[in-house]
Amino acid sequence: MLDERKLKILAAVVDEYIVTGEPVSSKTIASMHNIKVSPATVRNDMAMLEQLGYLEQPHTSAGRIPTYSAYRLYIEKLMPQRQLTPEEKSRLDRAVDEVEVPTEDALTESASKALAELTNCTVVASNASPQFSLITKVEVIPTGRRMYVLLMITSSGSIKNKVCRLEFDLSDEQLKFFSGYVTENLSGMPVEHISDSVLDKLAEAMGAYMVTLSPLLKGVSDLAKGFRGGDVHLEGERNLLARKDLSPDEALRFIEEKDRLTMLLDDSFSSLQVLFGEDGNFIVSNSSVIMSPIRRGGKTLGSLGIIGPLRLNYAKVIPYIEYLTQRITEAISEDEPPAVGMMPDAEDNDEKK
Amino acid sequence: MLDERKLKILAAVVDEYIVTGEPVSSKTIASMHNIKVSPATVRNDMAMLEQLGYLEQPHTSAGRIPTYSAYRLYIEKLMPQRQLTPEEKSRLDRAVDEVEVPTEDALTESASKALAELTNCTVVASNASPQFSLITKVEVIPTGRRMYVLLMITSSGSIKNKVCRLEFDLSDEQLKFFSGYVTENLSGMPVEHISDSVLDKLAEAMGAYMVTLSPLLKGVSDLAKGFRGGDVHLEGERNLLARKDLSPDEALRFIEEKDRLTMLLDDSFSSLQVLFGEDGNFIVSNSSVIMSPIRRGGKTLGSLGIIGPLRLNYAKVIPYIEYLTQRITEAISEDEPPAVGMMPDAEDNDEKK
DNA sequence: GTTAGCACTCACTCTCTTTGAGTGCTAATA
DNA sequence: TATTAGCACTCAAAGAGAGTGAGTGCTAAC
């Protein structure tokens, strides 16, 4: 039913439409070097492709445009398989290699910037699963009268802080006790497990200190909440808003409600995934979202991808995304698993240059 | 030349235009209860006001719209003087009072949110002068093998952090030495004074430790740079982009280049200031920026205001801004001056309830 | 199975007309 | 002298045809 030529024609229509954004006519297709038949034949095939749901006409006397099915088929089978050029490769490598401290977060951030720049699209980075984000350390630092900065660090490399004001000044011992005790008890724990009940137990165990320190515990709880709920971060929002083929209203809404994206992503998808802004979902109409996972030890820690117009240069962009996520995946697994609850004590290290 | 009636008519035109966005006709004005003359008379006055540069016509057979001069006059003299209702007052008070730790930054942030919500405009908050942002504390915290979080806290209450990776593990003593030494030497210093030469001196003085710790000093320098350059922060960007009477392109550009706003603000303006998106400046055309300073000890620490359409409900919005900035100004000066370089030692404090 | 030929469709563009809100001017009025 | 009624005038905006041409589907010939 879908013989070679029809597929070739379909691919040509998609290619052409991606470039021009105009409905594609049989004449245009027939004039291509790799198509050796007349416009009339192309028309017949196009009519067939339309019946099969791959093409549609805005109106009777117009050319054809691809349907979502066409894009899906195109991405899966039809599009030209491109290799990254050495220049592209080195540009992408740079984004990964220049990161000083290769945590998941830092790598993703640097990669996002590069990707946004190279594709002129908006980059989407999701920290899919807070259950894989473990608490590494909790620290309290005095900063002025009765003011304390509470610091929480997670295994993915995120740091959040919060200023707490207490009723009392705390002694050095108290501070040390608190951070030591909390770190010891919480480190290695997934952020999303920090519930009020966990903290209540902690408070009980602290006994005498409790009254004094409870505002700090409250702070810990607030910080943990801040980490929870898969973050979705966008880079280069302007690229989305600036596109004239996307509705600014919808784009704005997407940016505001970006967190809802996590729900649309297959819970622990293990390879590249493409979503379209169709009917019901909240993705901008006429846009596509391409996401690729960042994995470690069989688990999907997060994902990186882009949102762009439906008529996107998939053949160019997809290899970028695949390469970057692969490099990041490598980078975080070749690094030793992040230390958990480590509290370096006063051991003298040799200091060779 | 500008008798009472003409001013009344001008005010009425501005009021009406702000509401409808359509050119205002003589008939509309004449039908208002506080105007007791016929359309013909209004027309005569309007012609006069046009000659004086307060009104203009989009085309011959249209009504009049206000010019920038008209808005200026309106804001200065003409607009109705409104008192805040008790509800409004309490809503604004809440934004200031609910801030747990009343630093300039935290107050401004909370106020921004409230203001954006109440006005449906985009809120602009500027931290005008980094020279008034003093370093309060620098701290290093170990977080995994050879990884350290560097923390910098300023007098305005901002906290920034950076992860550094070293070649060696540091002992507790080394860490303590570093943060103590750096805090001692930098605290009280304006962030913008942290230059490479200052740090070089510090490095020299550290002598033996230097080689080991120099990546940390580099980190300090990076952090200080991050604080520098008067921050302009926007809240509720969507309100700007969503407005149909403003160009999305320009709005986007404004959001991206928001920092340029500091240059347009009078260096140390001491009372409410209104800017319009005119001719050359980069402010969105047809928009107005209203900023009011936040001061302390005769110095302008920052400012808070909004950017909205030219046809803005000034009579409502300006009192909001004035009230909020005044409350913030009070809040930060009634608080004791922020402790500088304080490093609480192990002194036992009494712990009465 | 492919293609040339041809009638047909329909968005787009252009021009022309109509409409009506709003003005400026003039002459009458208080 | 200030105000107003009356009227001619202007011009953007909306609507109505008419013409154009890119593109199609169908049929019949190759």
Side-chain angles (χ1 to χ4, degrees):
Chain A
M1 202 149 220
L2 270 184
D3 58 26
E4 182 111 5
R5 193 183 63 204
K6 289 197 183 58
L7 289 176
K8 220 185 212 164
I9 288 177
L10 182 55
V13 172
V14 177
D15 276 334
E16 184 68 15
Y17 185 70
I18 283 175
V19 175
T20 65
E22 298 292 314
V24 183
S25 75
S26 54
K27 207 175 103 194
T28 314
I29 296 297
S31 72
M32 291 176 168
H33 15 291
N34 60 339
I35 306 276
K36 298 274 185 320
V37 292
S38 75
T41 310
V42 174
R43 272 204 293 282
N44 287 333
D45 287 357
M46 281 172 130
M48 176 105 251
L49 287 165
E50 182 168 359
Q51 274 203 320
L52 292 171
Y54 290 113
L55 293 179
E56 57 188 12
Q57 281 181 296
H59 54 264
T60 336
S61 68
R64 304 298 211 292
I65 62 175
T67 62
Y68 291 114
S69 313
Y71 284 112
R72 289 210 186 82
L73 188 61
Y74 178 82
I75 291 168
E76 268 176 53
K77 305 240 173 78
L78 269 34
M79 73 178 183
Q81 295 299 323
R82 245 180 110 254
Q83 295 300 318
L84 294 178
T85 67
E87 293 78 42
E88 291 173 325
K89 209 166 215 156
S90 77
R91 175 71 187 82
L92 296 175
D93 280 335
R94 188 148 50 85
V96 175
D97 296 332
E98 78 187 357
V99 175
E100 280 178 53
V101 185
T103 56
E104 185 203 338
D105 287 6
L107 287 164
T108 305
E109 191 191 325
S110 171
S112 296
K113 285 193 175 128
L115 197 52
E117 187 191 315
L118 286 170
T119 61
N120 274 314
C121 289
T122 297
V123 172
V124 183
S126 88
N127 250 353
S129 332
Q131 73 251 37
F132 301 134
S133 216
L134 311 180
I135 291 186
T136 301
K137 197 170 179 64
V138 176
E139 189 78 18
V140 193
I141 298 168
T143 167
R145 286 199 64 235
R146 294 177 184 177
M147 311 251 282
Y148 297 87
V149 177
L150 203 59
L151 209 65
M152 183 178 285
I153 306 175
T154 71
S155 58
S156 64
S158 306
I159 300 173
K160 286 216 164 97
N161 63 56
K162 181 178 163 66
V163 182
C164 300
R165 203 224 264 282
L166 299 190
E167 296 291 312
F168 313 98
D169 281 319
L170 296 180
S171 67
D172 251 16
E173 283 80 42
Q174 288 173 309
L175 288 180
K176 214 161 196 168
F177 167 76
F178 181 83
S179 31
Y181 189 76
V182 173
T183 299
E184 192 178 319
N185 281 278
L186 298 187
S187 71
M189 194 179 268
V191 190
E192 63 169 2
H193 285 185
I194 309 291
S195 62
D196 284 344
S197 68
V198 170
L199 288 172
D200 282 351
K201 265 186 215 152
L202 221 61
E204 253 174 66
M206 291 198 314
Y209 282 123
M210 198 193 107
V211 180
T212 329
L213 297 179
S214 74
L216 288 177
L217 272 185
K218 170 77 168 51
V220 170
S221 153
D222 290 348
L223 278 178
K225 269 182 204 128
F227 276 115
R228 218 171 299 162
D231 271 354
V232 175
H233 176 253
L234 301 183
E235 185 76 37
E237 287 96 333
R238 78 150 302 167
N239 292 331
L240 197 63
L241 291 164
R243 288 214 82 89
K244 279 172 223 99
D245 47 353
L246 302 181
S247 133
D249 287 357
E250 281 188 277
L252 218 46
R253 182 146 163 245
F254 178 86
I255 290 173
E256 281 180 357
E257 304 179 5
K258 56 192 176 193
D259 287 313
R260 289 175 57 188
L261 192 58
T262 25
M263 316 213 303
L264 293 179
L265 292 170
D266 253 356
D267 214 19
S268 57
F269 67 115
S270 57
S271 66
L272 190 117
Q273 205 180 352
V274 181
L275 302 172
F276 295 127
E278 293 179 79
D279 45 326
N281 72 28
F282 86 114
I283 298 178
V284 189
S285 321
N286 288 315
S287 77
S288 65
V289 173
I290 309 175
M291 299 297 289
S292 178
I294 293 168
R295 318 192 84 228
R296 169 168 186 173
K299 284 169 187 161
T300 299
L301 299 183
S303 51
L304 180 70
I306 67 169
I307 175 169
L310 211 47
R311 27 181 298 254
L312 181 65
N313 191 339
Y314 297 96
K316 174 183 144 191
V317 160
I318 289 182
Y320 284 2
I321 296 176
E322 283 180 328
Y323 186 72
L324 273 179
T325 50
Q326 192 206 322
R327 286 284 334 255
I328 293 176
T329 297
E330 285 164 20
I332 58 177
S333 48
E334 84 193 9
D335 204 40
E336 67 262 284
V340 154
M342 239 190 90
M343 184 78 174
D345 259 289
E347 4 165 298
D348 277 333
N349 301 81
D350 47 345
E351 299 185 11
K352 53 179 177 167
K353 170 122 214 199
Chain B
M1 203 152 218
L2 271 184
D3 58 27
E4 182 111 4
R5 193 183 64 204
K6 290 198 181 59
L7 289 176
K8 221 181 207 168
I9 289 177
L10 182 55
V13 172
V14 177
D15 275 335
E16 184 68 15
Y17 185 71
I18 283 175
V19 175
T20 65
E22 297 293 315
V24 183
S25 75
S26 54
K27 207 174 102 195
T28 314
I29 297 297
S31 73
M32 291 175 167
H33 15 291
N34 60 339
I35 305 276
K36 299 271 188 315
V37 291
S38 76
T41 311
V42 174
R43 273 204 292 282
N44 288 334
D45 286 357
M46 281 172 130
M48 177 104 251
L49 287 166
E50 182 168 1
Q51 274 204 320
L52 292 172
Y54 290 113
L55 294 178
E56 58 189 11
Q57 281 180 298
H59 54 264
T60 337
S61 68
R64 304 295 210 295
I65 63 175
T67 62
Y68 291 113
S69 313
Y71 284 112
R72 289 208 186 83
L73 188 60
Y74 178 82
I75 291 169
E76 268 177 54
K77 305 241 173 78
L78 268 34
M79 72 179 182
Q81 294 300 322
R82 244 181 113 253
Q83 295 299 319
L84 295 178
T85 66
E87 293 78 43
E88 291 173 324
K89 208 166 217 159
S90 77
R91 174 72 188 82
L92 296 175
D93 280 335
R94 188 148 49 87
V96 175
D97 296 331
E98 77 187 358
V99 175
E100 280 179 54
V101 185
T103 56
E104 185 202 339
D105 287 7
L107 287 164
T108 306
E109 191 191 326
S110 172
S112 296
K113 286 193 175 128
L115 198 53
E117 188 191 314
L118 286 170
T119 61
N120 274 314
C121 289
T122 298
V123 172
V124 183
S126 89
N127 249 354
S129 332
Q131 73 253 36
F132 301 134
S133 217
L134 312 180
I135 291 185
T136 301
K137 198 170 178 66
V138 175
E139 189 78 19
V140 193
I141 298 168
T143 169
R145 287 198 63 235
R146 294 179 183 173
M147 311 251 280
Y148 297 87
V149 177
L150 203 59
L151 209 65
M152 184 178 284
I153 305 174
T154 71
S155 57
S156 65
S158 306
I159 300 172
K160 286 215 163 100
N161 64 57
K162 182 179 163 65
V163 182
C164 301
R165 204 225 264 283
L166 299 190
E167 298 290 313
F168 313 100
D169 280 319
L170 296 181
S171 68
D172 251 17
E173 283 80 44
Q174 287 173 310
L175 287 181
K176 212 160 196 169
F177 167 76
F178 181 82
S179 29
Y181 189 76
V182 173
T183 298
E184 191 178 321
N185 281 278
L186 297 187
S187 72
M189 194 179 267
V191 189
E192 64 169 2
H193 285 185
I194 309 292
S195 61
D196 283 345
S197 68
V198 170
L199 289 172
D200 282 352
K201 265 187 214 151
L202 220 60
E204 252 174 65
M206 290 198 316
Y209 282 121
M210 199 194 106
V211 181
T212 329
L213 298 179
S214 73
L216 288 178
L217 271 184
K218 169 80 167 50
V220 170
S221 151
D222 290 347
L223 278 178
K225 268 182 204 130
F227 276 114
R228 217 170 300 161
D231 271 354
V232 175
H233 177 253
L234 301 182
E235 185 77 35
E237 287 95 332
R238 78 151 303 168
N239 293 329
L240 197 63
L241 292 163
R243 289 216 81 90
K244 280 173 220 98
D245 47 352
L246 302 181
S247 133
D249 287 357
E250 282 188 277
L252 218 46
R253 184 147 161 244
F254 177 85
I255 290 172
E256 282 182 354
E257 305 179 7
K258 58 192 174 191
D259 287 313
R260 288 174 58 188
L261 191 58
T262 26
M263 315 212 304
L264 292 179
L265 292 170
D266 254 355
D267 216 18
S268 57
F269 68 115
S270 57
S271 66
L272 190 117
Q273 207 180 352
V274 180
L275 302 172
F276 295 127
E278 292 178 80
D279 45 325
N281 72 26
F282 86 114
I283 298 178
V284 188
S285 321
N286 288 314
S287 77
S288 65
V289 174
I290 309 175
M291 300 297 289
S292 177
I294 293 168
R295 320 193 82 225
R296 170 169 186 170
K299 284 170 187 160
T300 299
L301 298 183
S303 52
L304 180 70
I306 67 169
I307 175 168
L310 210 48
R311 26 181 295 256
L312 181 66
N313 192 338
Y314 297 96
K316 174 183 144 191
V317 159
I318 288 182
Y320 284 3
I321 297 177
E322 282 180 330
Y323 186 71
L324 273 179
T325 50
Q326 193 207 321
R327 285 287 331 257
I328 294 177
T329 297
E330 285 164 19
I332 57 177
S333 48
E334 84 193 12
D335 204 41
E336 69 262 285
V340 155
M342 238 191 90
M343 184 79 172
D345 261 290
E347 3 164 300
D348 276 335
N349 301 80
D350 48 343
E351 297 183 12
K352 52 179 174 164
K353 165 115 219 219

